Amino acid sequence: MKAVKITAVRQMKVVEVEDQEPKAGEVKIRLQYVGFCGSDLSTYLGKNPMVKMPVIPGHEVGAVVEKTGSDVPEGMKPGMVVTVNPYTNCGKCASCRNGRVNACQHNETLGVQRNGAMKETICLPWEKVIPAGLLTTRECALIEPMSVGFHAVSRAQVTDIDVVMVIGCGMVGMGAIVRAAQRGATVIAADIDDDKLVLARQMGASYVINTLNDNVHARVLEMTAGFGPDVVIEAVGSAETYQMAVDEVAFTGRVICIGYAKTEVSFQTKFFVQKELDIRGSRNAQPSDFRAVIHYLERHTCPVDQLISDVVTPEEAPAAMEKWAARPGKVFRILVNF
């Protein structure tokens, strides 16, 4: 069967791989849409330290159930529209023991530490296959990245009295904006791209800041009556935005870190103490975050078409990835249509 594979830095091609049948406890799903995410772009550019190359990318999935193996619950039926929880959990490490399986020490995400879903079919444990109600398979491909943003808001313990600043308005950041707004918070969206900031307002942001053109500190103080935001969610992964998060968060605020910075980050650590900050990592998503995103998308208030930058065939995927590499700030999601 057909698959898309990253074979080396800036090298991607369509390959043939063996089709498989589901074992006991597994579900075979037929992929319809698989999204490229920022980690796939990093892999393609040779900047993803966690990836094992060569690799079949893909963990943002819209699919239908094709076949089930034995020992699969009766509710998992052929033809059902599903998405996928792409993470593994060992059940034995400290994270798993504490119930935070999304941060398993030995996690292997599809398309990163192991081959992913960018192929015609894949067999997975039934527990990792998530029914998606009445959503389309196209909508399903947006669930996983948005769930990462939803999880960050949970990590921040956001409430309706908070001001939340989200730095980075890609798909993960948009998920954080949606979830924070759902919880009644006042949301400030920050990005370098005005088009993304316009969309951020549609997704629930009350204020926007262009971090290239605006005086960020002055604008933040103006928007927060001089206090700064109670929560800053870093969804970019750069030294500059990590520093911005610590600088701009209010005294006794919470900084939530999603993005992986590609270089070392230097901080004025006095702010950690003076502000008595809570600095928290946020990794992947919990099953409850997936359910929350599905519930959100079922309302049909999400501007799905504006979040999908392009839909391509597997054969067109290498050119689409190269185009994204040339203009990374202008792409939300590229979906590969199988």
Side-chain angles (χ1 to χ4, degrees):
M1 66 176 172
K2 188 181 298 183
V4 175
K5 194 170 195 176
I6 301 173
T7 56
V9 175
R10 289 189 106 107
Q11 293 184 28
M12 177 185 292
K13 62 182 180 181
V14 177
V15 299
E16 286 293 319
V17 298
E18 184 180 354
D19 196 5
Q20 296 181 330
E21 292 301 307
K23 301 174 184 175
E26 288 187 340
V27 175
K28 182 177 183 178
I29 61 174
R30 181 160 292 275
L31 285 303
Q32 293 193 358
Y33 293 95
V34 184
F36 278 125
C37 82
S39 65
D40 297 323
L41 178 61
S42 294
T43 298
Y44 179 73
L45 295 175
K47 298 179 179 179
N48 189 341
M50 296 180 293
V51 75
K52 294 180 180 179
M53 293 275 275
V55 67
I56 296 171
H59 54 256
E60 302 174 358
V61 168
V64 294
V65 174
E66 182 165 289
K67 188 183 296 185
T68 61
S70 60
D71 301 325
V72 172
E74 292 183 3
M76 196 73 68
K77 297 184 181 298
M80 179 180 280
V81 174
V82 296
T83 191
V84 166
N85 181 329
Y87 326 121
T88 63
N89 51 284
C90 69
K92 300 177 182 179
C93 71
S95 301
C96 291
R97 184 178 62 182
N98 291 329
R100 290 161 65 175
V101 295
N102 57 292
C104 174
Q105 181 179 350
H106 306 292
N107 168 63
E108 294 185 347
T109 299
L110 284 172
V112 185
Q113 295 94 343
R114 57 182 173 141
N115 281 327
M118 199 156 285
K119 53 187 181 179
E120 293 181 74
T121 68
I122 189 171
C123 295
L124 296 167
W126 71 264
E127 297 93 340
K128 299 297 182 181
V129 179
I130 304 172
L134 299 177
L135 297 183
T136 66
T137 52
R138 184 167 169 267
E139 292 169 324
C140 284
L142 303 180
I143 293 171
E144 191 275 342
M146 293 193 77
S147 72
V148 176
F150 273 47
H151 182 66
V153 171
S154 294
R155 289 284 293 140
Q157 297 175 299
V158 170
T159 72
D160 58 352
I161 63 172
D162 288 321
V163 177
V164 178
M165 180 179 180
V166 179
I167 305 175
C169 295
M171 277 295 301
V172 171
M174 289 296 186
I177 290 167
V178 168
R179 193 56 164 165
Q182 284 184 336
R183 292 193 175 195
T186 300
V187 181
I188 302 169
D191 200 276
I192 62 174
D193 186 86
D194 284 331
D195 291 336
K196 288 185 175 180
L197 293 174
V198 169
L199 187 53
R201 282 191 180 274
Q202 294 182 47
M203 304 289 279
S206 298
Y207 304 101
V208 298
I209 298 174
N210 186 309
T211 57
L212 282 182
N213 302 327
D214 296 335
N215 183 324
V216 174
H217 185 64
R219 291 290 310 283
V220 166
L221 292 180
E222 176 187 339
M223 295 169 180
T224 60
F227 291 106
D230 304 283
V231 174
V232 177
I233 296 174
E234 198 288 329
V236 176
S238 73
E240 293 81 7
T241 50
Y242 264 83
Q243 290 165 343
M244 183 186 297
V246 172
D247 289 347
E248 301 305 334
V249 72
F251 274 63
T252 67
R254 289 99 74 197
V255 175
I256 310 301
C257 306
I258 307 175
Y260 283 92
K262 308 302 186 293
T263 61
E264 292 185 0
V265 183
S266 299
F267 289 108
Q268 290 289 341
T269 55
K270 66 178 182 180
F271 288 147
F272 295 12
V273 177
Q274 286 181 348
K275 292 186 176 183
E276 199 175 52
L277 298 181
D278 289 335
I279 300 177
R280 306 174 185 176
S282 182
R283 184 182 181 191
N284 301 330
Q286 290 269 21
S288 59
D289 300 307
F290 283 84
R291 293 197 302 272
V293 175
I294 291 170
H295 184 61
Y296 163 65
L297 290 174
E298 285 177 334
R299 299 174 185 174
H300 301 295
T301 59
C302 177
V304 170
D305 290 341
Q306 296 181 62
L307 295 175
I308 299 172
S309 304
D310 204 359
V311 179
V312 300
T313 65
E315 290 75 15
E316 294 168 334
M321 184 62 85
E322 189 59 35
K323 182 178 177 181
W324 188 10
R327 300 186 71 198
K330 288 295 183 181
V331 171
F332 277 106
R333 272 302 175 273
I334 297 171
L335 302 186
V336 180
N337 181 2
F338 282 89

